[in-house]
Amino acid sequence: MSQAAETLLFELGMEELPPGALASLSDALTNNLVAGLEKAGIPHGKATGLGAPRRLAVRIADVAVQQPDRPFEKRGPAINVAFDESGAPTQAAEGFARSCGVDVAALAQLETAEGAWLVHRGVETGQSTAELLPGIIEQALTGLPVPKRMRWGSQSAEFVRPVHWVVLLLGDAVVPATFFGVDSSRQSRGHRFHHPDPVEIARADDYEARLRAAYVAVEMTERRDMIIEGVRAEGERLGGHAVMETALIDEVNALVEWPVVLSGSFDADFLRVPPEALVSSMQEHQRYFPVRDADGKLLPRFITVANIESRDPQRVIAGNERVIRPRLADAAFFWDQDRARPLAERQDGLRAVVFQKSLGSVQDKAQRVAQLASRFATQMGTTPALGERAAALSKADLLTEMVGEFPDLQGVMGRYYAHEDGEAEAVADALEEIYRPRQAGDAIAATPLGQLMAVVDRADTLIGIFAIGKAPTGAKDPFALRRAAVGLLRTLIEGEHAINLHALFSEAGAAQPPGLNAAEQVPALTAFCLERLRAIYLEAGFAAELFEAVRSVLDVNDFEPLDFDRRIHACKDFSQLPAAGSLAGANKRIRNILRRAEALPEAVVDANRLNDTAERELYEAIEARQGDVQRHIEGGEYSQALAQLAELKAPVDRFFDEVMVMSDDPARQANRLALLQRLQGLFLAIADVSALPESV
C-alpha cells in the first residue's frame, strides 16, 4: 500500500520586497525546502516556487505525511566481553541491553572480519512530516541569500522585510509553526487595494486559484507572460512595437501582483533628443516601455504596467504623463547644455578624474591609448591620426551632464556630441564602438577604427591592472578583466586582425607609469587571455581536444588569436573527414615511435634507401603534396592544408601495415624515422592531430 501524501504549501507574507531580490529568494527558498525534505528522508513530488512583491511561497506536490520507517542496527560490546566463561551476560552486555530498552536475550550477534559483536536491530518509526516541517522551514529561511536584513517592532528577528502573515498547509490541515514572531494559519492576503481582506486557503492545492480571485497572479512565469503579451499588444495598438528588454520585464514582474497595461504620450518635441537618452530615462527612471515605429524610430508614446485596475484609467495615464515630462525635460536640458561646449574642450578636465590610483588619471589613460592606437592603426586598417584623435576624445563624454545622469550612455553620447562638433564620422562612431562588445552576445565594433579602439583600450586596462597586482583570483574580478579579455580576443578574431598578443601587451606595458614593471606581467597576461580563449571555444561547442591540438604546437607567449582561430576551425573541419580518425591514430603512433627512438636523425630522407613499395609510395605522396601544403600554411589556409594531408591516409595505412620502422639495418631504420619525422612535421605545422580522438 502506498504511503499517504499531501500537497505542502508555505507562504511568507511581508512588506514589498526589493525588485531585484524576488527571483533569487524564491529560487533559494524552493531549493532549500526541497533539500530539507530530502535530508529528512521525506518523499515528495514536484516543487514549484511562487512569489509576488509581498510574498514568497512554495508548493510541493505529493509530500509524504510521515517519514518512512527505517531499519537500524546498533553495535554493542564484543562477544568475548559481553559474556563470561560460563556464558552468562556481563555488566557490559546488560548495560548495552538497557540502553536499547530490551533484554539481553533480544540482542543478536554480528559476525565480522574483526570478530563477533552484540547488536540491537530494530525498525525506527518515522516521525510525522507536520512535526518536522517547522524545523525544516526554519533552516530553509536561515539559508536564504538576504544581503541586508532588518528588524521591526520589538522583536529580535531579522529578515529582508517585516513579516505579516504565514500560511503553512499540508493538504487541508494547518501545520502549527511560528516564524519571525508570526503564527502559521490558512489566511493569506490578496491585492493590497483590490482585495485587502484575508484570503482563506482551504487546501494547499487551491492556493493559486484563490489568490487569482483576490487579484494576485502568484505564479511568476504566468505573471511575466501576462506582462509581455499585454505590452506587446499595446505596442501594436499604438501602431508600433514596444521595446521590451529582459531586465526591465523582470523588474516590472517583481513590482506588480496584478499587471494592468496602459499607455501614454509625451510632447513630440522631445524627439529631438537622442533616442538613447529618452529610452534610458523611460526605462531606468520610470520603468516604462518605449515604443518604436516600423523603421525603428522612437514614437512619442510609452507603455507602463500598473499594479491596479483603476476605475478611471485616464487619471492613471495622466499621472504617468505628468511624471515623465520633467524627466524628459531634464534629458533635453542636458542635451542642449552639453552641446554648448565641444568634447575637445573637456579633455583637460579628465586630469582630475582618477582612473586608478597607481595608473593615473583618465587623461593619462587616454594618452596611453592614443600612443598604442598610433602604433597599431595601420595593422588594423585605419590611420594613426584617426586613432590618436579617437583616443584623445574617447573619455571626454564622462564630463558631460548627460553621462553624469545616465552613466550607461557613456560612448553613445560621445558619438552624438562628436558628430555635433564636426568630428570625422569614423572618429565619432569609434567613441561608442570602443565599448563593444558591452556584454556577452553583443556584436563587436563595426568599423576598423572602432575595433582598433576596442582593442587598445582593453589592452591598456589589462596590462595596467595586472601590473599593479590586481589580476583576477578565483571568482573575484572587480575590474571585469575576464570580460575585457574576451572583448579584445573577439574583436581581433571576428575583425580578422593579425595582431600578436605579446607584441600588443608589450607595447601597452611600455606606456604604463614607471616603476610598475609591466613588462614582467606580459607572459602572465598572455596566458590569462589563452584561458579566456579556451572558454570562448568551449562555449561555442568546440571539443577540448581541438583546443589542445592547437595550443600544444604554439608558443603561448607568442601567438595571434586570429591565427589560433583559423587553426582550430581547420582542426574541426579535419575531424569531420573520413580519414581523420585513422590519421589521428597514425600520428599517435608516430609520436610514440619517435619518442622511443634512441637518437633521431635529421628529417632528411634518402630516396635511394626506400626499397619497400609502401615506404616509397608514402614518400612520393608526401613529395607530391608538400608544396601545396606549405603554400596553404603560409597563407593561413589551414583547412585546405589539412584537406591535402588527409589524402595521405591510404599510403600511411599501408606503410604501417607493411613496413617495420625499427629495422635491424641502422641506415634503413634512420631513413624510415626521417620519413616519419617529415610526415609528422607537416601536421605539427598546423596542429597536433594526435590529440584528436581516433574515432570521429
Side-chain angles (χ1 to χ4, degrees):
M1 182 176 177
S2 61
Q3 190 176 16
E6 296 283 1
T7 299
L8 169 66
L9 171 67
F10 173 63
E11 181 193 51
L12 196 65
M14 66 205 80
E15 297 293 333
E16 279 79 0
L17 286 161
L22 177 58
S24 61
L25 289 176
S26 176
D27 290 344
L29 180 59
T30 304
N31 293 336
N32 291 355
L33 272 181
V34 168
L37 291 176
E38 292 177 350
K39 184 178 180 181
I42 300 173
H44 63 86
K46 181 182 178 182
T48 304
L50 305 163
R54 293 201 300 154
R55 69 201 73 222
L56 292 170
V58 181
R59 178 174 46 76
I60 306 178
D62 300 322
V63 176
V65 299
Q66 185 172 344
Q67 284 179 314
D69 294 343
R70 291 180 290 186
F72 68 86
E73 182 178 271
K74 183 179 180 182
R75 184 184 294 194
I79 295 298
N80 59 0
V81 175
F83 299 96
D84 60 21
E85 294 179 355
S86 66
T90 65
Q91 290 185 355
E94 292 175 346
F96 175 63
R98 282 194 302 274
S99 71
C100 296
V102 298
D103 295 330
V104 173
L107 299 174
Q109 292 190 19
L110 173 67
E111 299 287 342
T112 70
E114 294 88 18
W117 313 80
L118 276 182
V119 295
H120 173 51
R121 296 189 179 98
V123 176
E124 181 182 2
T125 303
Q127 289 181 264
S128 73
T129 299
E131 293 174 346
L132 296 169
L133 276 175
I136 291 173
I137 294 173
E138 189 67 48
Q139 284 294 110
L141 292 171
T142 301
L144 292 181
V146 179
K148 188 175 182 180
R149 296 175 181 265
M150 62 181 295
R151 293 182 182 178
W152 61 95
S154 60
Q155 63 173 350
S156 60
E158 295 181 342
F159 197 53
V160 62
R161 287 291 186 269
V163 174
H164 294 307
W165 75 89
V166 175
V167 175
L168 183 54
L169 297 176
L170 190 58
D172 60 359
V174 175
V175 178
T178 302
F179 305 106
F180 305 108
V182 180
D183 295 335
S184 62
S185 72
R186 64 175 71 253
Q187 287 192 344
S188 181
R189 298 187 189 178
H191 192 282
R192 186 184 290 276
F193 304 111
H194 287 309
H195 198 293
D197 298 329
V199 178
E200 195 89 0
I201 310 296
R203 294 186 56 84
D205 287 324
D206 299 339
Y207 178 63
E208 288 102 310
R210 290 289 293 133
L211 283 183
R212 173 173 276 280
Y215 291 88
V216 178
V218 75
E219 209 288 309
M220 289 187 287
T221 302
E222 176 193 15
R223 192 170 66 247
R224 190 177 191 273
D225 290 342
M226 291 169 64
I227 293 169
I228 292 173
E229 290 306 314
V231 171
R232 178 182 292 119
E234 187 66 11
E236 293 174 355
R237 189 187 70 81
L238 296 174
H241 64 274
V243 179
M244 291 187 286
E245 294 188 1
T246 300
L248 181 57
I249 293 170
D250 291 340
E251 185 177 10
V252 171
N253 191 32
L255 286 168
V256 299
E257 292 186 322
W258 191 253
V260 177
V261 176
L262 301 170
S263 63
S265 61
F266 56 85
D267 193 335
D269 180 61
F270 287 125
L271 295 178
R272 66 186 177 82
V273 178
E276 291 88 346
L278 301 180
V279 168
S280 188
S281 182
M282 284 188 270
Q283 290 178 333
E284 293 181 20
H285 289 166
Q286 302 306 130
R287 302 184 180 96
Y288 293 163
F289 295 91
V291 182
R292 296 184 183 274
D293 65 17
D295 296 325
K297 294 181 180 179
L298 206 61
L299 294 175
R301 306 301 298 264
F302 65 88
I303 298 171
T304 184
V305 180
N307 190 34
I308 188 171
E309 280 190 4
S310 174
R311 288 190 294 270
D312 188 359
Q314 279 306 126
R315 293 186 64 183
V316 178
I317 293 170
N320 281 279
E321 290 175 342
R322 283 196 302 272
V323 169
I324 197 174
R325 180 175 177 80
R327 293 292 189 184
L328 300 184
D330 285 345
F333 174 77
F334 297 148
W335 170 244
D336 294 336
Q337 287 292 105
D338 289 340
R339 286 186 300 154
R341 186 180 174 204
L343 277 179
E345 292 185 9
R346 302 177 189 271
Q347 293 178 64
D348 287 341
L350 294 173
R351 298 186 186 280
V353 181
V354 176
F355 169 62
Q356 202 283 332
K357 183 174 65 174
S358 300
L359 299 175
S361 68
V362 173
Q363 176 68 351
D364 293 329
K365 177 178 175 57
Q367 290 174 348
R368 293 194 300 268
V369 171
Q371 181 179 331
L372 203 56
S374 178
R375 163 67 177 79
F376 288 95
T378 303
Q379 283 180 261
M380 294 188 66
T382 185
T383 67
L386 288 174
E388 291 175 7
R389 184 60 176 173
L393 298 176
S394 62
K395 309 299 177 183
D397 66 345
L398 276 172
L399 298 181
T400 63
E401 297 283 349
M402 190 75 84
V403 173
E405 181 71 12
F406 303 105
D408 59 308
L409 295 182
Q410 184 179 357
V412 174
M413 296 313 302
R415 172 170 60 86
Y416 279 107
Y417 294 138
H419 277 300
E420 290 286 318
D421 294 344
E423 297 286 347
E425 184 174 354
V427 170
D429 290 345
L431 300 189
E432 178 183 1
E433 292 185 326
I434 188 174
Y435 299 103
R436 294 187 186 177
R438 291 181 180 265
Q439 64 269 329
D442 195 13
I444 67 166
T447 67
L449 183 57
Q451 291 167 9
L452 170 68
M453 298 308 302
V455 167
V456 296
D457 184 66
R458 287 170 170 82
D460 175 79
T461 298
L462 286 162
I463 192 65
I465 302 301
F466 264 69
I468 62 173
K470 301 292 185 180
T473 56
K476 295 182 178 179
D477 187 10
F479 295 95
L481 297 191
R482 292 186 178 96
R483 185 172 63 190
V486 168
L488 183 152
L489 293 166
R490 282 190 54 204
T491 302
L492 290 178
I493 292 169
E494 295 173 33
E496 299 188 345
H497 300 294
I499 301 295
N500 183 288
L501 281 190
H502 187 276
L504 175 65
F505 293 140
S506 294
E507 290 282 348
Q512 297 302 309
L516 290 181
N517 295 320
E520 296 180 1
Q521 297 299 318
V522 172
L525 178 53
T526 307
F528 172 78
C529 288
L530 188 65
E531 286 305 304
R532 294 305 94 212
L533 202 58
R534 180 198 299 272
I536 289 173
Y537 289 119
L538 292 182
E539 186 176 342
F542 285 77
E545 294 91 342
L546 293 174
F547 183 88
E548 288 303 319
V550 177
R551 187 206 60 78
S552 62
V553 302
L554 297 179
D555 182 350
V556 297
N557 290 320
D558 188 23
F559 75 97
E560 298 173 2
L562 176 60
D563 182 71
F564 194 107
D565 183 73
R566 289 171 175 168
R567 289 172 186 264
I568 197 170
H569 275 91
C571 285
K572 186 175 184 180
D573 293 341
F574 174 75
S575 70
Q576 307 303 315
L577 299 177
S582 176
L583 287 173
N587 272 273
K588 287 186 179 71
R589 189 169 179 180
I590 293 170
R591 180 191 61 196
N592 293 332
I593 291 172
L594 296 177
R595 185 181 296 163
R596 290 196 302 266
E598 294 182 1
L600 290 176
E602 292 185 16
V604 177
V605 181
D606 184 351
N608 295 323
R609 292 184 180 275
L610 300 173
N611 298 322
D612 287 358
T613 302
E615 63 181 340
R616 190 165 54 253
E617 285 183 356
L618 178 58
Y619 172 77
E620 291 171 354
I622 292 173
E623 282 284 297
R625 290 164 179 79
Q626 180 157 347
D628 287 341
V629 170
Q630 291 286 12
R631 280 190 293 275
H632 286 312
I633 291 174
E634 290 168 4
E637 299 169 340
Y638 301 116
S639 289
Q640 293 90 324
L642 284 175
Q644 289 272 326
L645 292 175
E647 296 175 3
L648 296 175
K649 177 185 182 302
V652 168
D653 288 346
R654 184 176 180 188
F655 177 87
F656 281 116
D657 287 342
E658 300 179 10
V659 176
M660 175 66 69
V661 177
M662 305 308 285
S663 170
D664 293 335
D665 182 345
R668 182 169 293 182
Q669 179 187 120
N671 205 43
R672 289 171 178 170
L673 288 173
L675 180 61
L676 293 183
Q677 279 184 277
R678 186 170 172 187
L679 175 62
Q680 183 190 53
L682 290 175
F683 282 98
L684 289 180
I686 304 166
D688 181 6
V689 298
S690 71
L692 303 179
E694 294 184 36
S695 57
V696 181

